[in-house]
Structures are given as structure tokens and as C-alpha cells.
Amino acid sequence: MGRYLIRRVLFLILVMFIVSFLTFLIFYKLPAGDPARRVAGHRNTPEQIEEIRHTLGLDRPWYVQYGRFAKGLIPWPGWFLNEQVYYSYANFVPVKDEIYERLPVTITLTVGAAVIWLLIGVPIGIVSAIKPRSIWDRAGMVFALIGVSAPVFWLGYLFLYIFWFKLGWAPGSGLAYNATLAESIAQGKFVLPWIVLSLAFAAFYARMIRGNLIETMSEDYIRTARAKGLSERRVIFKHGLRSALTPVVTMFGMDVGVLLGGAVITETVFNLPGIGQYTVQSIFADNYPGVMGVTVFATFFIIVANLVVDVVYAFLDPRVRYA
Amino acid sequence: MPEPLLQVNDLKVHFPTDDGLVKAVDGVSFQVMPGETLGVVGESGSGKSVTFLTVLGLITTRQAIIEGEVIFQGQDLLKVPPEEMRSVRGDKISMIFQDPMTSLHPFYKVGAQIGEAIRAHQDVSKKEALQQAVEMLQRVGIPRPDERANQYPHEFSGGMRQRAMIAMALSLNPDLLIADEPTTALDVTVQAQILDLIDRLREEFNASIVIVTHDLGVVAEHCDHLQVMYAGKIAETGTSDDIYYRPHHPYAWGLLGSIARLDHAERERLKPIKGLPPSLIYVPSGCSFHPRCPYAFDRCKVEVPELLPIDGQHAAACHLPLADKERIFAEEVAAR
């Protein structure tokens, strides 16, 4: 177990290095315009630009620049998203502060949606698998087809149109200016975003669980379980689901990790001030440090999610521990 | 004569498919006496596994058409409702399968899997069940059983897993143990060990045993009776000696000819049965073996041979005249 963990961590460090290096190349070596010139604004002199270039460290060798940049990836006080690099010159605020301020919204959106998609996707997948070709299976798979096919931005506006504009059941998009997060949740501001974000995932999970479970139920060890005289319920839930859900745990961890880096479309459609919205705003404002900061932050979440998933998987599947 | 433990009458198992009706088992009758070992021999697709999966009610294909009678201890198992069938499975009839590598759940400890079988039928605590499981592991010859019970299947070798499967199957002291190709996936040396183990346990547990196999050579010495199946029907049945020394069906001759024997001269090659097992959808007319039979004549192509008694329990389904059979066997088969 210890060696397995060490190997996984070393591998993740390698992944982080590759991601950070590519990101660095994209932002520093292929810039759409000189960052120093951008900071200087419209009225500038060559001296000012030189000075800014020096302040930003853009005149240092590339490896020093990369080092500063990569330091921002390391979760260590003062290093993570350090202000040397990750400092927004659009509004002169550290990127870190911007992200931390928006993180609770993104976490709320992600966690709520994750709960809903599990509550919808898992039961549909199980029922479809144990009663294949039944009316429940057909209905479930039609739902899955719609859920997988419907684009989130379209679904978002559709839901807003129906449930807010026409029926008035749900509040509109955006959060009240001075409401706390808890107040916004209580006002039901997150209900539509949760549902919309969760539907595509629920559909995908239902399909995946159905496929996994059908495959598992034809395994030899399921026949053994039946031959032992176990009840069909025990055969399905203890023997079938255990195997069928293990890969789902992996998926789930990854999906949550990705979403914590910003649910770009959902946050934009519902005007939620989360990390995804910040990403979009940074891109449109040419706020490079902001975009870099979000990239690094999202990478960090995905990598952590990967590690968590690997560890959990080793507990779920005994064969992995010694592999 | 004592009552048979298991009496199968005219069992038919057909599966409708998009290509046509698959007649996996097509009118099979036989019996298993208390305490005896029956060997069921045939190629892949002869219906031998399906027959016994049906006996245990493990055919899960919804559309399967099952006809006939499976009378076990005076009760027709085909008429028993699924919930009641559970109390028969594992408790009175248990089964071990071909591939021990995939027959145990990879995520649960071996001891727990055996304990689960015990707890499905007996009201004992988990701890007691585990204790019984350890005891069973010991009885099937697994060293350090208490440690082994706490391990996962992937930490067992193939032979050890099959022993664990046997331990599981015998943990409730069943009246009938069905072993479906129990040695096929194992090394030759381990095969012998497992068969000896089954022999020994039959006496210890006083159970009847059915060994399903494609390898006549492996089971002959372990079985009281043998039953040769071809294309969903019984081709020949009798005592082991009948089938081994006085076989009457050309298919049985073929099976004997394809057994490797060390006492044969080096230059002699194995004699495979020509052709492939027939399609179970388009079963050949008459005797289903006739396209592959070197001795087939006109009648074989038209008329389905009946399983006719020869002497005692020996019976074969073949149109060849008795005199011809004895002559061909003596000249061509036994002479090899």
C-alpha cells in the first residue's frame, strides 16, 4: 500500500510538471501580445515598458520564469498561486484572492449537482440493468439519451424560460448583491443550476452503471453466488453492484475534480459568480494571470481528485493493492 | 433397487435466438443414484453443462424454453418457485465450475465467500460461519487455512481456488455435487489432485457426484457411470467399464481414440474425430452424428436412433447392427 501510494504520488508530480510546462509555454512563449505592453496600458514610453518587464521578471531567463510560475502549483503557504506571477494587472488584485472569493459558489454548485446526479443516475442505471428491455429500462435509456445529447447552455435557458419566466416556480439567474451564500441557497438560487448541471452527468452515469452491471451479471462469480443459494437481491446488490460501481467511483472523483475547477457553462448561463465565470471574464478581459491562475487551480483539483480516486480504488479493489 | 436421488425425464432446453431455435438439450433422461459418481462426457456444445445448469435452475436466459422433469428427492425442481429453489441450491445440490480464476468474487475474502454460502442456509453468526469455512478449507487440503481464509482469491493459485470452490460447495453437506469441468482450467498434476480430492470427499460427505467433462480419459477411473452426450442427446450410457472397454457408439470410439496414452507406440498419432460439432439450430437429420461418422449408412440419415439397452445399464443410440459394432470395435478401435 505504501509503495503504491508513493508511486502514484511520483506519477502525479510528473503529470503536474508536464501540465505546468505546457501551460507556461502557452502563456509566456506564445503570448498574444507582450504582457509588459499590456500592463503599461495605452499611454506608455519604452522606458516604462522596460521597467514593467523588469518588475514582472520577463527579462529573466526562461527557467527562472518557469520556476516562479511552477511555484504557484505547489500547495505550500506563500507558494501556491504566488503573487509574483498570479497578480491580476487588470484590477490589481492577487488572482488567489479572486479565486478564493469565488470558490464557495463553485463548491456549492458542484456538491449539490453531484448529489443529485448520483441520486438520479445510480437508481436508473440499476433498474435498467436488472430489468433489461422492460418499460423502466426503455424510459431510463430515453432519459439518458436526452440528458447526454442536450447541451447544458440550451437546457439552462430552457429551464429558466419554463420554471422562472413562465411558471415562476424558481428564482431567476444570478445571486443577490449582498446575500451570503447560505441566504442564496435558501432563496433557491441554486436549484435550477443544480438540476441542469446534474442532468447530463446523471444520464451518463445511468448508462455507464447499466452497462457495467449488465456485464458484471454475466460474470462467472455471479453464477457462483446464485449457485450458493443467495437471494437475487443479495446477488445483485452485494456481488453485482460492488464490481459494477467500482469504476463509477473513479469517474465520480474525476468529474467532481474537474467541476471544482469551474463549471464554466452552467455558471455563465445562471450568472453565478464562481470560478468558471471568473475564467470566462478573465479570457474576455485578456487577464492572463487570471486565466493562468484558474488553469493552475483546476489542474491542482484534478490531480488531487486523481490521487484520492487512486487511493479509494485500492481500498475497493484488493487486486490493485499489490499490483 | 433404491430410489434414485436425481431423476431427469425427457429434459429439453431450447433457446430462441435471432438465427433460430437452439436445441441445447433435446430430450435427455438419466438418473443419479445415492452415493454414485456419474461422469457426463461430450464436446463443447453437446448440452452437458446446460443440462446441469437447468437442474440447479441457473439458466437465466428469460426466453429459454424448458420442458421435462427434474425430480430430486421426490420433487420436480422445474416446478419449484424461484424463492424455494434457493433453499435447494447450495444446500442440497451444489455446483463447482470450470474456471476457478473467475468463479470467486475478486473483491471478497475467500473465507467470507464460503461463510456467505453457509449463512445463506444456516442461522449462524458471521464468526461461526467463518470458523466453519476455515474448517472446510482444511478438509479440502489447503495449508494454513485460517490465514488463507483471510486472503483474496487473487492470492490463491488455480488449484487452490478450485479447492476453495469445492470447500464452498461442500460446506453445507449437499446430497448432490455437480462439478462442471472441474479440472479443465488446471495443470495436469493439479487435475489428478482435485479428482482424488473429489473421490475422497464423496466418501467423507456421502454425496452423489456428477462430473461434467469433455475429457473421457480424465474421469473414467473416478466415475461409476458414464454418459456420453452429443448434440443435446445421450449417445451412450453405461458403467465406466462399459464405455471404456465395450463402447457401442462410434462417437464414443472417437472420444477414446483422441485420448493420449503413454503406452502407445511413439509413431502412433492421436485420432481426432473428423469434422466439427453440429449446429444446434440446424441439427443434422436422422442420427445427428452421421455427417462425422465413418460407419454411417442410409438409415442413419433418415431415422433418429433411439437409446436402446444392450445389457444391464449399458445403452447406446446407434443404428449399426450389434455384430458390426463388436467387429469394428475389436478390429479398429481396441487394436490401436
Side-chain angles (χ1 to χ4, degrees), chain A residues 59-73:
Chain A
D59 54 348
R60 310 287 297 275
W62 68 269
Y63 50 84
V64 176
Q65 293 186 37
Y66 172 71
R68 285 178 168 186
F69 170 82
K71 215 163 77 171
L73 268 166

Side-chain angles (χ1 to χ4, degrees), chain A residues 270-300:
Chain A
F270 289 98
N271 193 17
L272 297 174
I275 292 172
Q277 196 192 46
Y278 178 64
T279 312
V280 175
Q281 286 168 353
S282 298
I283 291 170
F284 285 133
D286 282 342
N287 177 4
Y288 282 91
V291 179
M292 277 180 345
V294 173
T295 309
V296 163
F297 194 72
T299 308
F300 175 74

